[in-house]
Amino acid sequence: MHRTVWLALSYNVPINPSKVRVYVWRKLKEFGAEYLRQGVALLPNTAQNFQQLSALAKRIRELGGEASLLELRFSDPADELAMTARFRQQTREEYTQLLADCADALARLRRPGALLTPKEGDRLRQVVKRYRRAQARDYFHEGAAGEIEAGINEIIGSLRGMAADLGRQLRSLMEG
């Protein structure tokens, strides 16, 4: 079994104002961290994660808290497997939602007379951004990334088809 080297951010922030706790929680959620226990968040040791957690530790200190960044290895393989399973579950949930969002977008785009509204365009951009973020946090390669990319490519193909149809309609009107 491949053993992972982890980064552990151990932190303590003042109770008040609560916005500091919320800020730290949101950043860790954005990074895809899992908690070992309260006040100790873990991520696999990558250059990007080191940079993000180092910056967050510095910010915590600036906000009046305490923070330490450590390298960690589980001594019990079962504990490591449990933590890895939590990261895999997080990724599976993100990918499942993205697959559903791709299917929903394709269904809307394939309706007769469908147009790409600004709201729909924003929704599609968010799907792609969420996919890129989820893919960057897929530390243990859950495998659904290819399906999502295929869905996004189908969306792109549908949009190209819609644009071509609209172009033909406009050309017909100009010539008509």
Side-chain angles (χ1 to χ4, degrees):
M1 172 185 145
H2 171 74
R3 301 298 299 268
T4 302
V5 178
W6 300 85
L7 291 171
L9 176 64
S10 176
Y11 68 94
N12 187 11
V13 294
I15 293 173
N16 289 312
S18 63
K19 67 181 181 180
V20 174
R21 278 193 327 278
V22 171
Y23 169 79
V24 172
W25 177 80
R26 283 187 178 152
K27 292 306 278 183
L28 290 169
K29 185 171 177 61
E30 177 185 319
F31 301 158
E34 287 286 343
Y35 280 90
L36 181 63
R37 64 175 188 83
Q38 185 176 340
V40 181
L42 295 183
L43 283 169
N45 189 356
T46 67
Q48 179 179 354
N49 288 342
F50 181 81
Q51 182 181 20
Q52 290 174 329
L53 290 178
S54 293
L56 182 57
K58 180 181 177 194
R59 184 70 180 132
I60 289 169
R61 289 184 209 104
E62 290 169 353
L63 294 169
E66 300 170 355
S68 297
L69 186 57
L70 311 139
E71 273 192 1
L72 178 125
R73 291 179 193 264
F74 286 93
S75 57
D76 183 346
D79 290 339
E80 183 172 352
L81 282 172
M83 181 57 66
T84 301
R86 289 170 58 189
F87 274 89
R88 287 177 187 260
Q89 181 61 32
Q90 178 188 114
T91 302
R92 272 193 301 276
E93 289 171 7
E94 286 180 292
Y95 282 167
T96 298
Q97 185 59 54
L98 283 163
L99 284 168
D101 291 347
C102 285
D104 183 53
L106 279 168
R108 284 193 310 275
L109 291 172
R110 289 178 175 157
R111 286 186 197 136
L115 295 174
L116 183 67
T117 65
K119 183 177 178 180
E120 185 67 23
D122 288 342
R123 189 178 300 146
L124 293 174
R125 278 188 282 283
Q126 286 304 312
V127 166
V128 173
K129 285 179 184 178
R130 286 179 27 235
Y131 167 64
R132 300 302 295 169
R133 196 170 42 243
Q135 186 184 35
R137 295 188 312 220
D138 186 1
Y139 303 110
F140 301 101
H141 312 292
E142 274 307 299
E147 287 179 70
I148 296 166
E149 270 191 46
I152 290 170
N153 285 328
E154 279 187 63
I155 290 168
I156 292 167
S158 290
L159 292 171
R160 284 186 179 139
M162 287 173 66
D165 288 346
L166 180 59
R168 282 191 291 277
Q169 291 172 18
L170 294 174
R171 178 63 49 212
S172 176
L173 288 172
M174 289 295 291
E175 294 170 353

